[in-house]
Amino acid sequence: MPAAPRDLLPEHVIGPRPCNVSLPRQRRNSCKRRPAYPLADLLYFLSNWDNVQGFIGFSTVYGIHLVSMLQCDLGITGAIGEIGVAGGKSFAAMAFTRQEGENLLACDLFKTGWEKDNVPDANLPLFLDVLSDLRIPAEDVTILSQSSLQLRDADLLGLAVGRRRASSRMGGFRLFHVDGGHYAEAAFHDLNAAACALVPGGIVLVDDLHNLGYPGVQEGFHRYMQQDTPKRARQLVPFLFTGRMFLTTAGGYASIYRRAILRAHPDLKTQPFYDSEVVLAPPHGLL
């Protein structure tokens, strides 16, 4: 995939971009484990797995729910967001971790973009049908039908609060999935914006990092990770790979998540990656 034409890119997308805002250190809050949606709806989703449009493995879904429980134990709260919704399967997997008071954000073109081969059949009616079938109320979701390149981290933080105008402690995301444009500039931009919008201990997932059909994702990811620290928007530390790369903010959170995963699954191996140890989980082998 060649680079996107420069005239298609907003000015703020070109070049290194520090965070536009700084989040205050989050006060730890006891998590009372009050899921926003009934367990029966999650079980319906899993039992009808093959009938839900989208691309995500069971190990990634398991990993999402495991780290979400760990975040709750740590008192980490925040919104849940996704850039690149496609059919909605990965969005639903994250939405079912939502606790009461947390907000949901979905951003997608919902039409064919500059990349003609990147989920060209994705559309808003399909996404809304998935939400309806899984009993995730559409009014719970802030849906942006636009290019993510128009969004800065400050925009994401405003959207994290959602329509309900939750308390300020909910500003920022605890979980964010980056699966938007698969050319280098878009992958770099989306990861940059998502990283800046994470609460401490928040987690960002990057899809298609090792998909040879989309080398732009690799280029954008490594461009971000190899920036000099003073120029980097926010340091991210990888800790789990399930077919999607899980990364979290600096400050020891990666070690906490890694230890908990290995306690639950001591047979899993790790490999060094960007000065961190990443747990390697088979895409379909944890459940």
Side-chain angles (χ1 to χ4, degrees):
M1 172 66 68
R6 303 280 282 193
D7 58 357
L8 293 181
L9 302 175
E11 187 62 32
H12 71 271
V13 171
I14 302 170
R17 294 177 300 284
C19 297
N20 294 300
V21 292
S22 297
L23 285 174
R25 191 164 187 84
Q26 195 177 43
R27 286 182 292 180
R28 295 290 174 86
N29 303 285
S30 60
C31 180
K32 302 185 185 306
R33 294 199 189 279
R34 292 177 176 167
Y37 308 119
L39 177 60
D41 291 348
L42 170 59
L43 295 177
Y44 173 83
F45 170 51
L46 296 176
S47 64
N48 288 274
W49 183 259
D50 292 335
N51 297 323
V52 181
Q53 297 290 326
F55 314 95
I56 188 171
F58 268 123
S59 286
T60 300
V61 176
Y62 176 84
I64 288 169
H65 283 254
L66 177 57
V67 298
S68 292
M69 289 190 291
L70 295 172
Q71 287 178 322
C72 187
D73 291 341
L74 293 169
I76 296 169
T77 58
I80 299 167
E82 182 171 52
I83 290 174
V85 174
K89 198 171 194 173
S90 56
F91 182 86
M94 295 194 301
F96 278 120
T97 73
R98 177 177 174 247
Q99 300 290 318
E100 289 184 2
E102 294 182 326
N103 295 297
L104 300 171
L105 170 68
C107 177
D108 199 296
L109 287 174
F110 294 110
K111 62 181 180 180
T112 302
W114 180 72
E115 299 173 285
K116 305 299 183 185
D117 61 341
N118 188 2
V119 197
D121 55 346
N123 59 79
L124 184 55
L126 171 62
F127 178 54
L128 293 175
D129 283 346
V130 169
L131 294 181
S132 176
D133 184 58
L134 298 177
R135 299 180 183 177
I136 299 172
E139 56 267 24
D140 287 354
V141 187
T142 299
I143 300 175
L144 298 181
S145 184
Q146 66 177 70
S147 169
S148 61
L149 299 184
Q150 298 170 333
L151 297 173
R152 300 171 186 254
D153 57 320
D155 301 317
L156 289 177
L157 290 171
L159 292 163
V161 176
R163 290 187 290 261
R164 291 186 177 83
R165 306 301 301 172
S167 61
S168 59
R169 71 178 176 84
M170 301 297 287
F173 290 82
R174 68 165 178 85
L175 197 59
F176 206 107
H177 183 214
V178 172
D179 192 18
H182 281 33
Y183 52 96
E185 294 84 357
F188 178 81
H189 168 270
D190 292 346
L191 180 57
N192 193 99
C196 286
L198 291 179
V199 300
I203 293 168
V204 62
L205 291 78
V206 179
D207 191 24
D208 286 324
L209 182 57
H210 298 306
N211 186 336
L212 295 180
Y214 297 107
V217 176
Q218 297 180 37
E219 180 182 342
F221 174 82
H222 293 299
R223 187 189 301 175
Y224 179 87
M225 296 296 288
Q226 292 177 4
Q227 289 184 98
D228 294 335
T229 301
K231 295 181 180 178
R232 188 184 304 167
R234 178 163 292 145
Q235 184 179 5
L236 292 176
V237 184
F239 66 92
L240 174 64
F241 182 74
T242 63
R244 283 165 172 78
M245 185 65 71
F246 288 61
L247 306 100
T248 187
T249 60
Y253 293 103
S255 295
I256 294 172
Y257 295 141
R258 185 189 312 111
R259 287 196 299 267
I261 294 167
L262 291 175
R263 278 197 301 268
H265 299 280
D267 293 336
L268 294 179
K269 307 299 183 183
T270 66
Q271 284 289 338
F273 189 59
Y274 281 109
D275 298 321
S276 180
E277 288 293 320
V278 175
V279 179
L280 305 178
H284 303 284
L286 281 181
L287 287 179

Short mmCIF file of all heavy atoms in Angstrom, two decimals, residues 54-104:
data_model
loop_
_atom_site.label_atom_id
_atom_site.label_comp_id
_atom_site.label_asym_id
_atom_site.label_seq_id
_atom_site.Cartn_x
_atom_site.Cartn_y
_atom_site.Cartn_z
N GLY A 54 -17.65 -9.41 11.47
CA GLY A 54 -16.45 -8.80 12.01
C GLY A 54 -15.29 -9.77 12.03
O GLY A 54 -15.41 -10.94 11.66
N PHE A 55 -14.14 -9.26 12.50
CA PHE A 55 -12.90 -10.04 12.47
C PHE A 55 -12.20 -9.90 13.82
O PHE A 55 -11.56 -8.89 14.09
CB PHE A 55 -11.98 -9.53 11.36
CG PHE A 55 -12.67 -9.29 10.04
CD1 PHE A 55 -13.13 -8.02 9.71
CD2 PHE A 55 -12.88 -10.33 9.16
CE1 PHE A 55 -13.77 -7.80 8.51
CE2 PHE A 55 -13.53 -10.12 7.95
CZ PHE A 55 -13.97 -8.85 7.62
N ILE A 56 -12.32 -10.90 14.65
CA ILE A 56 -11.63 -10.89 15.94
C ILE A 56 -11.61 -12.32 16.47
O ILE A 56 -12.58 -13.06 16.30
CB ILE A 56 -12.31 -9.93 16.95
CG1 ILE A 56 -11.46 -9.79 18.21
CG2 ILE A 56 -13.72 -10.36 17.27
CD1 ILE A 56 -11.95 -8.69 19.16
N GLY A 57 -10.48 -12.72 17.06
CA GLY A 57 -10.35 -14.07 17.58
C GLY A 57 -10.80 -14.17 19.03
O GLY A 57 -10.83 -13.17 19.77
N PHE A 58 -11.10 -15.40 19.45
CA PHE A 58 -11.55 -15.62 20.83
C PHE A 58 -10.50 -15.20 21.84
O PHE A 58 -10.83 -14.68 22.91
CB PHE A 58 -11.90 -17.10 21.04
CG PHE A 58 -13.35 -17.42 20.80
CD1 PHE A 58 -13.72 -18.37 19.86
CD2 PHE A 58 -14.35 -16.78 21.51
CE1 PHE A 58 -15.05 -18.68 19.63
CE2 PHE A 58 -15.69 -17.07 21.29
CZ PHE A 58 -16.04 -18.02 20.35
N SER A 59 -9.22 -15.44 21.54
CA SER A 59 -8.18 -15.07 22.50
C SER A 59 -8.15 -13.57 22.74
O SER A 59 -7.91 -13.11 23.86
CB SER A 59 -6.81 -15.54 22.02
OG SER A 59 -6.68 -16.93 22.17
N THR A 60 -8.40 -12.79 21.70
CA THR A 60 -8.43 -11.34 21.87
C THR A 60 -9.62 -10.93 22.72
O THR A 60 -9.49 -10.06 23.61
CB THR A 60 -8.48 -10.64 20.51
OG1 THR A 60 -7.32 -11.00 19.75
CG2 THR A 60 -8.51 -9.13 20.67
N VAL A 61 -10.78 -11.54 22.48
CA VAL A 61 -11.95 -11.23 23.30
C VAL A 61 -11.69 -11.59 24.76
O VAL A 61 -11.99 -10.81 25.68
CB VAL A 61 -13.20 -11.98 22.77
CG1 VAL A 61 -14.39 -11.74 23.69
CG2 VAL A 61 -13.52 -11.52 21.36
N TYR A 62 -11.13 -12.77 24.97
CA TYR A 62 -10.79 -13.19 26.33
C TYR A 62 -9.81 -12.20 26.96
O TYR A 62 -9.98 -11.79 28.12
CB TYR A 62 -10.19 -14.59 26.30
CG TYR A 62 -9.71 -15.09 27.64
CD1 TYR A 62 -10.59 -15.70 28.53
CD2 TYR A 62 -8.37 -14.96 28.01
CE1 TYR A 62 -10.14 -16.16 29.76
CE2 TYR A 62 -7.92 -15.41 29.24
CZ TYR A 62 -8.80 -16.02 30.11
OH TYR A 62 -8.36 -16.47 31.33
N GLY A 63 -8.78 -11.81 26.19
CA GLY A 63 -7.81 -10.86 26.71
C GLY A 63 -8.43 -9.53 27.07
O GLY A 63 -8.10 -8.93 28.09
N ILE A 64 -9.35 -9.06 26.25
CA ILE A 64 -10.06 -7.80 26.52
C ILE A 64 -10.80 -7.87 27.84
O ILE A 64 -10.76 -6.95 28.66
CB ILE A 64 -11.00 -7.45 25.36
CG1 ILE A 64 -10.21 -7.00 24.13
CG2 ILE A 64 -12.01 -6.38 25.77
CD1 ILE A 64 -11.04 -6.89 22.87
N HIS A 65 -11.51 -8.97 28.06
CA HIS A 65 -12.29 -9.10 29.28
C HIS A 65 -11.40 -9.33 30.50
O HIS A 65 -11.69 -8.82 31.59
CB HIS A 65 -13.32 -10.22 29.13
CG HIS A 65 -14.50 -9.80 28.30
ND1 HIS A 65 -15.74 -9.53 28.86
CD2 HIS A 65 -14.63 -9.57 26.97
CE1 HIS A 65 -16.57 -9.16 27.89
NE2 HIS A 65 -15.92 -9.17 26.75
N LEU A 66 -10.30 -10.06 30.32
CA LEU A 66 -9.39 -10.28 31.43
C LEU A 66 -8.75 -8.97 31.87
O LEU A 66 -8.73 -8.64 33.07
CB LEU A 66 -8.31 -11.29 31.03
CG LEU A 66 -7.23 -11.58 32.08
CD1 LEU A 66 -7.85 -12.07 33.37
CD2 LEU A 66 -6.22 -12.60 31.54
N VAL A 67 -8.22 -8.19 30.93
CA VAL A 67 -7.56 -6.94 31.33
C VAL A 67 -8.58 -5.94 31.86
O VAL A 67 -8.25 -5.11 32.72
CB VAL A 67 -6.74 -6.33 30.18
CG1 VAL A 67 -5.62 -7.27 29.77
CG2 VAL A 67 -7.59 -5.95 28.99
N SER A 68 -9.83 -6.02 31.39
CA SER A 68 -10.86 -5.12 31.92
C SER A 68 -11.15 -5.43 33.38
O SER A 68 -11.36 -4.51 34.19
CB SER A 68 -12.14 -5.23 31.08
OG SER A 68 -11.94 -4.71 29.78
N MET A 69 -11.16 -6.71 33.74
CA MET A 69 -11.34 -7.08 35.15
C MET A 69 -10.16 -6.62 35.99
O MET A 69 -10.32 -6.15 37.12
CB MET A 69 -11.55 -8.58 35.28
CG MET A 69 -12.89 -9.05 34.76
SD MET A 69 -13.27 -10.79 35.18
CE MET A 69 -12.06 -11.63 34.16
N LEU A 70 -8.95 -6.72 35.43
CA LEU A 70 -7.77 -6.24 36.15
C LEU A 70 -7.84 -4.74 36.33
O LEU A 70 -7.47 -4.21 37.40
CB LEU A 70 -6.50 -6.63 35.38
CG LEU A 70 -6.22 -8.13 35.25
CD1 LEU A 70 -5.05 -8.37 34.30
CD2 LEU A 70 -5.94 -8.73 36.61
N GLN A 71 -8.29 -4.01 35.31
CA GLN A 71 -8.45 -2.57 35.45
C GLN A 71 -9.43 -2.23 36.56
O GLN A 71 -9.21 -1.31 37.35
CB GLN A 71 -8.92 -1.97 34.13
CG GLN A 71 -7.85 -1.91 33.05
CD GLN A 71 -8.36 -1.34 31.74
OE1 GLN A 71 -9.50 -1.59 31.34
NE2 GLN A 71 -7.54 -0.56 31.06
N CYS A 72 -10.51 -2.99 36.63
CA CYS A 72 -11.49 -2.76 37.69
C CYS A 72 -10.85 -2.96 39.06
O CYS A 72 -11.06 -2.17 39.98
CB CYS A 72 -12.68 -3.70 37.50
SG CYS A 72 -14.07 -3.39 38.61
N ASP A 73 -10.05 -4.02 39.20
CA ASP A 73 -9.36 -4.28 40.47
C ASP A 73 -8.42 -3.14 40.84
O ASP A 73 -8.21 -2.85 42.02
CB ASP A 73 -8.57 -5.58 40.39
CG ASP A 73 -9.46 -6.81 40.30
OD1 ASP A 73 -10.65 -6.71 40.67
OD2 ASP A 73 -8.97 -7.88 39.87
N LEU A 74 -7.85 -2.49 39.81
CA LEU A 74 -6.91 -1.38 40.03
C LEU A 74 -7.62 -0.04 40.18
O LEU A 74 -6.97 0.98 40.39
CB LEU A 74 -5.91 -1.30 38.87
CG LEU A 74 -4.94 -2.48 38.73
CD1 LEU A 74 -4.19 -2.40 37.41
CD2 LEU A 74 -3.95 -2.49 39.89
N GLY A 75 -8.94 -0.04 40.03
CA GLY A 75 -9.69 1.21 40.11
C GLY A 75 -9.56 2.08 38.88
O GLY A 75 -9.76 3.30 38.95
N ILE A 76 -9.23 1.48 37.74
CA ILE A 76 -9.06 2.23 36.50
C ILE A 76 -10.39 2.27 35.75
O ILE A 76 -10.96 1.23 35.42
CB ILE A 76 -7.98 1.59 35.60
CG1 ILE A 76 -6.63 1.65 36.31
CG2 ILE A 76 -7.90 2.28 34.24
CD1 ILE A 76 -5.55 0.81 35.64
N THR A 77 -10.89 3.46 35.53
CA THR A 77 -12.16 3.64 34.82
C THR A 77 -11.95 4.58 33.64
O THR A 77 -10.99 5.34 33.60
CB THR A 77 -13.24 4.21 35.76
OG1 THR A 77 -12.77 5.47 36.29
CG2 THR A 77 -13.54 3.27 36.91
N GLY A 78 -12.87 4.55 32.71
CA GLY A 78 -12.78 5.43 31.56
C GLY A 78 -13.64 4.93 30.42
O GLY A 78 -14.30 3.89 30.53
N ALA A 79 -13.61 5.67 29.34
CA ALA A 79 -14.44 5.33 28.19
C ALA A 79 -13.81 4.17 27.41
O ALA A 79 -12.67 3.77 27.64
CB ALA A 79 -14.60 6.54 27.29
N ILE A 80 -14.60 3.65 26.47
CA ILE A 80 -14.17 2.57 25.58
C ILE A 80 -14.37 3.07 24.15
O ILE A 80 -15.47 3.53 23.80
CB ILE A 80 -15.00 1.30 25.82
CG1 ILE A 80 -14.81 0.81 27.26
CG2 ILE A 80 -14.63 0.20 24.82
CD1 ILE A 80 -15.82 -0.26 27.68
N GLY A 81 -13.33 3.00 23.32
CA GLY A 81 -13.44 3.55 21.98
C GLY A 81 -12.84 2.67 20.92
O GLY A 81 -11.99 1.82 21.20
N GLU A 82 -13.28 2.90 19.69
CA GLU A 82 -12.73 2.17 18.56
C GLU A 82 -12.70 3.06 17.33
O GLU A 82 -13.67 3.75 17.02
CB GLU A 82 -13.57 0.92 18.27
CG GLU A 82 -13.02 0.08 17.11
CD GLU A 82 -13.72 -1.26 16.96
OE1 GLU A 82 -14.97 -1.29 16.91
OE2 GLU A 82 -13.01 -2.29 16.91
N ILE A 83 -11.58 3.04 16.64
CA ILE A 83 -11.45 3.65 15.32
C ILE A 83 -11.38 2.51 14.32
O ILE A 83 -10.46 1.69 14.38
CB ILE A 83 -10.20 4.53 15.23
CG1 ILE A 83 -10.35 5.80 16.09
CG2 ILE A 83 -9.91 4.92 13.79
CD1 ILE A 83 -9.09 6.65 16.16
N GLY A 84 -12.34 2.46 13.40
CA GLY A 84 -12.40 1.37 12.44
C GLY A 84 -13.33 0.28 12.93
O GLY A 84 -12.89 -0.77 13.39
N VAL A 85 -14.62 0.52 12.83
CA VAL A 85 -15.62 -0.38 13.43
C VAL A 85 -15.92 -1.58 12.54
O VAL A 85 -16.18 -2.68 13.04
CB VAL A 85 -16.92 0.41 13.72
CG1 VAL A 85 -18.02 -0.51 14.19
CG2 VAL A 85 -16.64 1.50 14.76
N ALA A 86 -15.86 -1.38 11.23
CA ALA A 86 -16.19 -2.45 10.27
C ALA A 86 -17.56 -3.04 10.60
O ALA A 86 -18.54 -2.30 10.72
CB ALA A 86 -15.10 -3.51 10.25
N GLY A 87 -17.65 -4.37 10.79
CA GLY A 87 -18.94 -4.99 11.06
C GLY A 87 -19.45 -4.80 12.47
O GLY A 87 -20.64 -4.93 12.73
N GLY A 88 -18.55 -4.53 13.41
CA GLY A 88 -18.98 -4.27 14.78
C GLY A 88 -18.65 -5.36 15.78
O GLY A 88 -18.96 -5.22 16.96
N LYS A 89 -18.02 -6.44 15.34
CA LYS A 89 -17.76 -7.56 16.24
C LYS A 89 -16.77 -7.20 17.34
O LYS A 89 -17.00 -7.49 18.52
CB LYS A 89 -17.24 -8.75 15.43
CG LYS A 89 -17.32 -10.09 16.14
CD LYS A 89 -16.98 -11.20 15.15
CE LYS A 89 -17.36 -12.57 15.66
NZ LYS A 89 -17.17 -13.60 14.60
N SER A 90 -15.65 -6.57 16.97
CA SER A 90 -14.68 -6.18 17.99
C SER A 90 -15.23 -5.09 18.90
O SER A 90 -14.95 -5.07 20.10
CB SER A 90 -13.37 -5.72 17.33
OG SER A 90 -13.61 -4.66 16.41
N PHE A 91 -16.04 -4.19 18.34
CA PHE A 91 -16.67 -3.16 19.18
C PHE A 91 -17.56 -3.80 20.23
O PHE A 91 -17.53 -3.42 21.40
CB PHE A 91 -17.48 -2.20 18.32
CG PHE A 91 -18.11 -1.09 19.12
CD1 PHE A 91 -17.40 0.07 19.39
CD2 PHE A 91 -19.40 -1.22 19.61
CE1 PHE A 91 -17.98 1.09 20.16
CE2 PHE A 91 -19.98 -0.21 20.37
CZ PHE A 91 -19.26 0.95 20.65
N ALA A 92 -18.36 -4.78 19.82
CA ALA A 92 -19.25 -5.46 20.76
C ALA A 92 -18.45 -6.17 21.85
O ALA A 92 -18.82 -6.14 23.03
CB ALA A 92 -20.14 -6.46 20.02
N ALA A 93 -17.34 -6.80 21.46
CA ALA A 93 -16.51 -7.50 22.44
C ALA A 93 -16.04 -6.54 23.53
O ALA A 93 -16.02 -6.89 24.72
CB ALA A 93 -15.31 -8.14 21.75
N MET A 94 -15.66 -5.33 23.15
CA MET A 94 -15.24 -4.34 24.14
C MET A 94 -16.43 -3.77 24.90
O MET A 94 -16.36 -3.54 26.11
CB MET A 94 -14.46 -3.22 23.46
CG MET A 94 -13.15 -3.66 22.85
SD MET A 94 -12.08 -2.27 22.40
CE MET A 94 -13.12 -1.39 21.25
N ALA A 95 -17.52 -3.52 24.20
CA ALA A 95 -18.69 -2.91 24.84
C ALA A 95 -19.22 -3.77 25.98
O ALA A 95 -19.73 -3.23 26.97
CB ALA A 95 -19.79 -2.68 23.80
N PHE A 96 -19.10 -5.08 25.85
CA PHE A 96 -19.60 -5.96 26.91
C PHE A 96 -18.73 -5.93 28.17
O PHE A 96 -19.08 -6.55 29.17
CB PHE A 96 -19.75 -7.39 26.39
CG PHE A 96 -21.04 -7.61 25.64
CD1 PHE A 96 -21.03 -8.03 24.32
CD2 PHE A 96 -22.27 -7.40 26.26
CE1 PHE A 96 -22.22 -8.22 23.62
CE2 PHE A 96 -23.47 -7.59 25.57
CZ PHE A 96 -23.44 -8.01 24.25
N THR A 97 -17.62 -5.19 28.15
CA THR A 97 -16.84 -4.96 29.37
C THR A 97 -17.27 -3.67 30.06
O THR A 97 -16.76 -3.35 31.14
CB THR A 97 -15.33 -4.89 29.09
OG1 THR A 97 -15.02 -3.64 28.43
CG2 THR A 97 -14.87 -6.04 28.23
N ARG A 98 -18.15 -2.93 29.44
CA ARG A 98 -18.53 -1.61 29.95
C ARG A 98 -19.16 -1.71 31.34
O ARG A 98 -20.04 -2.53 31.58
CB ARG A 98 -19.52 -0.95 28.97
CG ARG A 98 -20.05 0.39 29.43
CD ARG A 98 -20.98 1.02 28.38
NE ARG A 98 -21.57 2.22 28.91
CZ ARG A 98 -22.86 2.37 29.19
NH1 ARG A 98 -23.72 1.38 28.95
NH2 ARG A 98 -23.32 3.50 29.68
N GLN A 99 -18.71 -0.85 32.23
CA GLN A 99 -19.32 -0.71 33.55
C GLN A 99 -20.26 0.49 33.53
O GLN A 99 -20.15 1.37 32.67
CB GLN A 99 -18.23 -0.49 34.61
CG GLN A 99 -17.21 -1.63 34.72
CD GLN A 99 -17.79 -2.89 35.30
OE1 GLN A 99 -18.55 -2.85 36.27
NE2 GLN A 99 -17.44 -4.03 34.72
N GLU A 100 -21.18 0.52 34.46
CA GLU A 100 -22.12 1.63 34.54
C GLU A 100 -21.36 2.95 34.64
O GLU A 100 -20.41 3.08 35.41
CB GLU A 100 -23.05 1.47 35.74
CG GLU A 100 -24.06 0.35 35.59
CD GLU A 100 -25.02 0.26 36.76
OE1 GLU A 100 -24.92 1.12 37.68
OE2 GLU A 100 -25.86 -0.65 36.79
N GLY A 101 -21.75 3.91 33.83
CA GLY A 101 -21.13 5.23 33.84
C GLY A 101 -20.03 5.41 32.81
O GLY A 101 -19.61 6.54 32.57
N GLU A 102 -19.56 4.32 32.22
CA GLU A 102 -18.54 4.44 31.18
C GLU A 102 -19.20 4.67 29.82
O GLU A 102 -20.30 4.18 29.57
CB GLU A 102 -17.66 3.18 31.14
CG GLU A 102 -16.83 3.01 32.40
CD GLU A 102 -15.93 1.79 32.35
OE1 GLU A 102 -16.34 0.76 31.74
OE2 GLU A 102 -14.83 1.85 32.93
N ASN A 103 -18.50 5.40 28.97
CA ASN A 103 -19.07 5.77 27.68
C ASN A 103 -18.41 5.01 26.54
O ASN A 103 -17.29 4.51 26.67
CB ASN A 103 -18.92 7.29 27.47
CG ASN A 103 -19.73 8.07 28.48
OD1 ASN A 103 -20.94 7.99 28.51
ND2 ASN A 103 -19.04 8.82 29.34
N LEU A 104 -19.14 4.93 25.42
CA LEU A 104 -18.69 4.19 24.25
C LEU A 104 -18.56 5.13 23.06
O LEU A 104 -19.42 5.98 22.84
CB LEU A 104 -19.70 3.08 23.90
CG LEU A 104 -19.96 2.01 24.97
CD1 LEU A 104 -21.14 1.13 24.55
CD2 LEU A 104 -18.72 1.17 25.20
#
